[in-house]
Amino acid sequence: FDAANVGIVTGDTKENTGAPILVGTTEILRNQLYDAMHSGRNLNCDLVILDESHFLGDQDRGVVWEEIMIYLPVRINMLLLSATIGNSEEIAAWLASIRGKPCRVVREEERPVPLFPIFLHPSGRLMPLLEENRLFRKIEAFVGQKRHGSPERGLPPFGEMLDVLERYRLLPAIFFLKSRSECDAALGMCAPLAVQPADDALTPCLETLLERFPYLRNHRQLHALRTARVAAHHGGQLPAWKFLVETMMKRGILRTIFATSTIAAGVNFPARTIVLMNSDLFNGHEFSPLSGTAFHQMAGRAGRRGKDRVGFMLAVPGRFMDLIHIRKLLSRKPEAIMSRIRNDFSMVLNLLLSQAPEDIREIFAKSLAAYQQERHGKRIDGPGQEGTDLWNDFLRHLRLLRQEGFVGPDDRLTENGIWASNLRLDQPLLIAECLRRGVLPAGDEKLLAAVIAPFVYDGDQEMVVIRKELPSRLIRAYDRVARTLSPLMGRLKGAGFAVPPLFLWPAAVIHGWASGGEWDWIVRKAGIADGDMAMLVMRTADNLRQIMSLRETHPQTAALAAAAREAILREPVTFE
């Protein structure tokens, strides 16, 4: 489309925003819709394309996608793209019902590169996985024998498996493994190549990338990438390292990558072969059998369009591999998407900016949740709502907002409620309470970044922090915030709202980084992965960006938040 015609809008990047084609995140579009509803302005847009639209069913992010579909003015057309929506006709019927115009499903079920499933026998032999839609007879016999055998222990011989795949020209490959630690450990089992290929493209490509990211020259996995042409890719790694691996895989320089399932969605680099070591998947809470949707996302990486006439899915036997389940998945369609919409305080505050409660009730009546509840004859609730519908749950949020002075008796936002609505983040009430009570640090951007960090950590891992080793000003700032918020957190819990603990360790980690600390030392001392540290920094920066939006009501804190973002957004967290 030419660079002049394309711009980008994300939380941290804004380039060429007047271009006729803008690429952005769903959260940015949702926030633009909030602002348009509040101001009464038209959104300067004629078409919205939602790529990977199966995220409508994602437990964490699905609510944002559904909000966009509900709020988007009818005059603006929508194009939804996905390879894994099992109930596309139902989604189309819902959209047609709330938008008053036809919604058509364009279906293409033929893969551009056909998929051929194969099986790696422990003897090293490759064989077809299926014959006439049943397991290949030798595999059926193997499955019968294994039911009476003892489970294998330890990691599989990845190096030997790579040799087999190379012999039959099945590389490059993506191995999907259970955990980050398995991905990292697999690298050590791959022997260096005895002879480098004559048309070696690795060195110039790698050197160009390392000149761009010099801090990766000491990366502990660089040796395996150089000598064996293998790499690991998972959420525990630095953004720049993942970018380097993705670039080299796209250029066909790597033989294989060992990845967790997160690579299946949202990262575009296919391989000739995908390798499944397990028939289950960790969903964030527990291991459960692979769903049709997750399987199709993984299988979608097999076969490079324009390079391969066929893509391969290799099933490898092991303790966690159910070959009968894999056989069923090959013909199973993706699961139906169910509504994930739910209330949170940020949504309620932003709806009350422009809508009366009864108008909000009508908005909820347009939700996919309401449509599916009526169609299926049962209640469809968002995660954590436990039997309440959207409206009753909204009223519960509204009562607490009234009680805390963010909403007045007339159900309109108070002055505090209006500026708090700009805090479009996970814990808007807690941060708003800090601002109301004047307990956020003043005059020290490092301390401000530090005390915001505990609000963004949503895990349950408490790391040991020796308080007397930390700067006294950090302890005082953290304790002041925790002490001030204790009564509000108690009232939130009493009203049935989940309130994550405010751990000290994220504050200590971010303070060390904001103060100019050395990345490797901080990560090692904290005992966290590079990628987790980078995510903590990025989420803290996003919360600080939301505080920056309060320039009119809290100018000094907003300015300090901008300085705090600059202090933490540097290499290796960010890169051009």
Side-chain angles (χ1 to χ4, degrees):
F1 295 105
D2 189 73
N5 292 321
V6 183
I8 185 167
V9 183
T10 69
D12 296 302
T13 305
K14 291 180 176 60
E15 291 182 26
N16 200 19
T17 56
I21 301 170
L22 286 180
V23 181
T25 60
T26 46
E27 285 78 8
I28 290 292
L29 176 56
R30 190 270 313 271
N31 292 344
Q32 289 175 339
L33 288 167
Y34 280 154
D35 293 335
M37 287 191 291
H38 176 46
S39 65
R41 294 194 312 268
N42 275 329
L43 202 64
N44 182 22
C45 175
D46 297 308
L47 171 67
V48 167
I49 301 172
L50 293 172
D51 195 15
E52 306 287 0
S53 54
H54 50 270
F55 271 103
L56 175 63
D58 183 79
Q59 183 158 328
D60 296 320
R61 295 187 63 202
V63 57
V64 177
W65 295 74
E66 188 166 342
E67 282 188 272
I68 286 172
M69 295 176 194
I70 296 169
Y71 306 153
L72 196 70
V74 173
R75 69 167 185 83
I76 301 175
N77 286 327
M78 274 196 296
L79 173 61
L80 279 60
L81 306 175
S82 176
T84 50
I85 293 182
N87 56 336
S88 53
E89 297 290 350
E90 181 183 42
I91 303 299
W94 164 60
L95 287 169
S97 73
I98 66 172
R99 293 172 65 79
K101 60 200 291 189
C103 179
R104 294 187 174 86
V105 176
V106 180
R107 190 185 307 278
E108 174 54 78
E109 296 184 341
E110 288 295 319
R111 285 176 54 103
V113 181
L115 180 70
F116 190 79
I118 54 180
F119 175 74
L120 179 62
H121 193 275
S123 65
R125 291 183 59 196
L126 288 176
M127 55 188 69
L129 184 68
L130 304 179
E131 56 179 354
E132 298 178 353
N133 293 322
R134 294 184 53 185
L135 286 178
F136 189 62
R137 59 188 180 279
K138 290 186 178 179
I139 299 173
E140 277 192 336
F142 171 80
V143 170
Q145 293 168 0
K146 292 304 291 179
R147 282 179 179 157
H148 305 290
S150 59
E152 303 90 341
R153 297 287 174 184
L155 286 172
F158 290 113
E160 295 174 26
M161 291 162 64
L162 264 183
D163 291 342
V164 172
L165 293 176
E166 194 147 45
R167 191 181 319 140
Y168 290 99
R169 297 196 301 169
L170 295 175
L171 297 180
I174 300 173
F175 282 70
F176 287 108
L177 305 184
K178 268 187 179 297
S179 66
R180 299 172 179 183
S181 58
E182 282 193 4
C183 295
D184 295 338
L187 299 178
M189 305 181 71
C190 301
L193 292 173
V195 180
Q196 293 293 324
D199 57 340
D200 187 6
L202 179 139
T203 301
C205 176
L206 182 58
E207 282 306 312
T208 299
L209 289 165
L210 290 177
E211 284 176 18
R212 189 170 168 185
F213 314 122
Y215 49 86
L216 294 182
R217 290 189 183 277
N218 296 321
H219 197 282
R220 55 189 171 277
Q221 296 181 358
L222 187 59
H223 179 72
L225 188 147
R226 282 187 189 277
T227 60
R229 304 290 182 87
V230 297
H233 187 294
H234 53 68
Q237 293 170 325
L238 287 171
W241 177 258
K242 290 192 286 187
F243 176 81
L244 181 147
V245 170
E246 292 163 17
T247 301
M248 302 194 76
M249 190 69 175
K250 283 179 185 175
R251 295 185 184 180
I253 297 172
L254 298 185
R255 299 160 70 215
T256 194
I257 58 173
F258 300 98
T260 53
S261 59
T262 52
I263 203 177
V267 178
N268 178 29
F269 56 92
R272 178 167 293 175
T273 305
I274 63 141
V275 183
L276 294 184
M277 311 292 297
N278 317 295
S279 57
D280 58 358
L281 184 67
F282 188 67
N283 62 16
H285 308 285
E286 60 185 354
F287 282 98
S288 57
L290 264 177
S291 66
T293 298
F295 175 78
H296 283 288
Q297 285 289 333
M298 292 176 172
R301 296 284 168 261
R304 299 165 299 172
R305 194 183 304 204
K307 290 188 176 181
D308 299 319
R309 285 180 294 178
V310 62
F312 296 89
M313 183 218 74
L314 176 65
V316 178
R319 292 170 62 199
F320 305 105
M321 173 59 79
D322 181 346
L323 291 168
I324 295 172
H325 182 60
I326 296 295
R327 175 185 65 77
K328 293 175 180 175
L329 288 175
L330 283 162
S331 56
R332 182 180 298 173
K333 294 189 175 181
E335 283 75 19
I337 284 176
M338 306 307 287
S339 173
R340 295 294 185 176
I341 196 168
R342 64 188 185 275
N343 287 287
D344 60 34
F345 285 110
S346 181
M347 178 203 280
V348 171
L349 286 167
N350 277 278
L351 287 176
L352 285 170
L353 261 180
S354 55
Q355 314 287 330
E358 284 305 314
D359 299 324
I360 295 171
R361 188 171 194 167
E362 290 184 21
I363 289 174
F364 288 161
K366 293 181 177 181
S367 67
L368 178 60
Y371 183 85
Q372 290 182 324
Q373 182 175 325
E374 183 179 344
R375 179 170 176 156
H376 298 295
K378 62 180 180 180
R379 180 168 285 152
I380 308 294
D381 294 318
Q385 289 184 211
E386 298 174 357
T388 63
D389 61 25
L390 275 170
W391 174 244
N392 288 335
D393 193 53
F394 167 81
L395 293 176
R396 188 168 66 104
H397 283 74
L398 182 61
R399 281 192 297 271
L400 192 127
L401 288 170
R402 281 200 210 108
Q403 174 188 322
E404 298 301 326
F406 293 101
V407 174
D410 58 354
D411 288 337
R412 298 182 68 84
L413 295 185
T414 61
E415 283 187 23
N416 283 334
I418 290 171
W419 60 255
S421 68
N422 287 314
L423 298 173
R424 291 161 180 166
L425 34 79
D426 291 337
Q427 303 293 339
L429 292 199
L430 297 183
I431 291 180
E433 181 74 352
C434 289
L435 287 160
R436 286 202 299 186
R437 305 291 179 190
V439 297
L440 290 180
D444 187 335
E445 68 276 9
K446 300 182 288 295
L447 280 184
L448 180 60
V451 299
I452 293 300
F455 295 106
V456 311
Y457 178 69
D458 55 7
D460 56 4
Q461 187 175 4
E462 173 62 297
M463 299 183 188
V464 176
V465 177
I466 302 172
R467 291 172 69 98
K468 65 181 181 181
E469 292 183 358
L470 300 177
S472 57
R473 61 188 182 279
L474 171 61
I475 294 295
R476 286 196 301 271
Y478 167 82
D479 286 346
R480 188 181 183 201
V481 166
R483 191 167 53 247
T484 300
L485 289 180
S486 181
L488 174 57
M489 294 172 78
R491 293 192 296 273
L492 283 165
K493 290 176 183 175
F497 294 103
V499 183
L502 296 178
F503 293 121
L504 173 58
W505 72 261
V509 166
I510 292 296
H511 188 263
W513 177 240
S515 300
E518 199 266 323
W519 178 271
D520 289 338
W521 185 87
I522 293 171
V523 166
R524 191 164 53 249
K525 184 172 176 61
I528 59 177
D530 283 327
D532 294 333
M533 172 74 176
M535 181 60 68
L536 180 64
V537 172
M538 293 298 291
R539 293 186 67 179
T540 301
D542 190 53
N543 275 240
L544 290 166
R545 180 170 58 84
Q546 300 294 331
I547 295 171
M548 286 168 56
S549 69
L550 307 181
R551 294 179 188 89
E552 292 185 12
T553 55
H554 301 77
Q556 291 180 322
T557 305
L560 194 63
R565 286 185 88 246
E566 283 190 30
I568 63 174
L569 285 181
R570 64 181 196 276
E571 292 181 345
V573 178
T574 58
F575 63 92
E576 291 296 324

